[in-house]
Amino acid sequence: MDNRQYVGIDIGGTKIEAVLVDGEGNVLNTGRIPARPGAQNVLEDVIAIARRMGGEPAAVGVGLPGQVDSVNGVVRDIVNLDIVELELGREAGEALGVPVQVENDVNAAALGAVALIDDEIGADDTVVFLNFGTGLAAGVVRDGRVERGHSGAYGEVGHIPVDPNKYLCNCGQRGCLETVTSGGSVAKLWPEGDPPLPDLIAKAKAGDEHALEVFGIVQHGLADTVQVVAQAYDPRLIVLGGGMAKTGRPLVDMIVEELERREATSHFLKSLHLPDRLRLAPVEQPIGAIGAALAAPRV
C-alpha cells in the first residue's frame, strides 16, 4: 500500500488546476489559478500551486499541451502559452525538491478518466480517451500505462485526413478529422450558441436546414473518429472527453445514431459493438490533474 502523497497539475491555455492525492488516488485538496503566458510565468505558477496544495508530496506530475518530452522533462512549442522550450521537469523539480514528471495533457486526462471509471476496466484492458477540445487527440492507456509511441505523435488522430469536406487544417493538410469534430471546428461551422454543439443539436432537431447540414458533417466525423480508434486500438472502452463532452448524453446519442446507421449495412461493424463501448468522461471532475498526479514518479 502506498501511503505517500502526490500533486497533479493540469495546465491549459487559460487556467491551471491542481490536486493533492494519496497513494490510492483519492483527492485530498484542489486548487485553480489563471494561466499566464511565458515560460518563466508557467514555471513560477507550477511551483506556486504545487506548494499551495500542502501536504508532503513525494512527487509531482504535470500535464500540458504542446510537444512533451516525458523522458527528459522538456516541453516545446506551446503556442497558447508562448513557450518555445522549457525544461519544466528539471527546473520545477529543483525548486520543489521532489521529482517532477511532465506528460502530454491528453495522456494525463486519459489516466484520470481510467482511474475514475476503473470499476469497468480489467487489468489487461485497453482504453482510448478521445479529447474533443479545441483540437482532437486520443490518449491510449494499456494495462494501466500510457502508450507514447516513437515520435510523440501517438494518438494524434485529429490529423488523419479522411473527411470528404476537405476543410483546411492548421497542420497544413486538408480533410483532417479535427476540422469537423473538435470544439474549435464546430464553433467555426456553427458560430451560434454558447457552447455551440448543444445549440446545433437543438436546431437540427427542430428541422433547421442549415443546422441539419452542419449536424450531418459533425456527426459523420465523430463516428469516423470512433471507428478509427476502435479499429486501430481495439479498446475495451472509448471515453469521450474534452469540452464537447460537457454536452452530455446528446453527444453520445449523436454518435450512436450514425454508428447504427452504418451497422445496418455492415455485419463487420455491427460485430464490433461500438455503441456499447462508449462512455462519457466525468468532466465535472479535474481528470487532467488527477491523471497528472497518477503519472507522478513512484520512487
Side-chain angles (χ1 to χ4, degrees):
M1 182 176 178
D2 188 351
N3 294 316
R4 294 171 294 181
Q5 297 175 341
Y6 302 90
V7 169
I9 300 171
D10 179 32
I11 302 176
T14 60
K15 68 179 185 301
I16 299 175
E17 289 188 311
V19 296
L20 177 70
V21 304
D22 63 20
E24 302 301 310
N26 300 304
V27 176
L28 307 175
N29 195 11
T30 63
R32 175 186 291 189
I33 59 176
R36 299 184 297 156
Q40 188 61 33
N41 286 335
V42 169
L43 174 62
E44 291 174 0
D45 289 342
V46 164
I47 294 166
I49 199 167
R51 288 173 173 162
R52 184 185 298 184
M53 289 300 95
E56 297 182 358
V60 174
V62 184
L64 68 174
Q67 295 181 18
V68 179
D69 180 347
S70 296
V71 174
N72 297 302
V74 179
V75 296
R76 299 181 177 89
D77 298 321
I78 308 178
V79 177
N80 290 340
L81 290 172
D82 194 25
I83 294 176
V84 176
E85 182 170 308
L86 172 63
E87 293 187 46
L88 181 59
R90 178 185 64 81
E91 295 194 40
E94 289 176 355
L96 295 168
V98 297
V100 174
Q101 174 74 27
V102 296
E103 184 59 80
N104 172 270
D105 59 343
V106 176
N107 287 344
L111 284 171
V114 168
L116 292 169
I117 58 173
D118 66 356
D119 58 324
E120 297 186 64
I121 303 168
D124 298 326
D125 283 337
T126 297
V127 177
V128 170
F129 174 83
L130 282 173
N131 188 66
F132 295 107
T134 303
L136 166 65
V140 182
V141 177
R142 194 186 312 270
D143 301 339
R145 295 177 177 270
V146 167
E147 296 280 319
R148 293 194 178 89
H150 169 67
S151 66
Y154 198 85
E156 289 289 353
V157 296
H159 296 299
I160 299 176
V162 297
D163 184 71
N165 298 286
K166 299 297 181 184
Y167 297 124
L168 180 64
C169 183
N170 289 333
C171 77
Q173 301 183 97
R174 287 189 175 272
C176 291
L177 285 171
E178 185 172 297
T179 63
V180 293
T181 59
S182 66
S185 65
V186 172
K188 289 180 182 178
L189 293 168
W190 188 258
E192 300 181 34
D194 185 23
L197 185 59
D199 184 75
L200 172 63
I201 293 172
K203 297 284 178 55
K205 285 185 176 180
D208 181 287
E209 281 192 30
H210 181 48
L212 285 167
E213 178 186 358
V214 175
F215 180 93
I217 291 171
V218 176
Q219 183 181 47
H220 191 274
L222 290 168
D224 280 350
T225 303
V226 168
Q227 267 197 254
V228 164
V229 299
Q231 292 170 228
Y233 305 116
D234 195 23
R236 165 70 180 84
L237 295 177
I238 300 170
V239 183
L240 312 178
M244 283 174 57
K246 294 178 181 178
T247 304
R249 186 66 207 182
L251 173 65
V252 179
D253 292 342
M254 190 176 180
I255 298 171
V256 169
E257 181 183 60
E258 176 62 20
L259 290 175
E260 289 180 342
R261 188 179 296 124
R262 299 179 186 189
E263 287 177 349
T265 57
S266 172
H267 181 267
F268 163 72
L269 188 59
K270 189 175 181 65
S271 72
L272 300 181
H273 304 289
L274 299 188
D276 296 336
R277 304 194 206 184
L278 298 179
R279 298 290 186 277
L280 280 168
V283 292
E284 72 284 353
Q285 300 193 51
I287 60 174
I290 291 171
L294 295 173
R298 265 51 178 176
V299 293

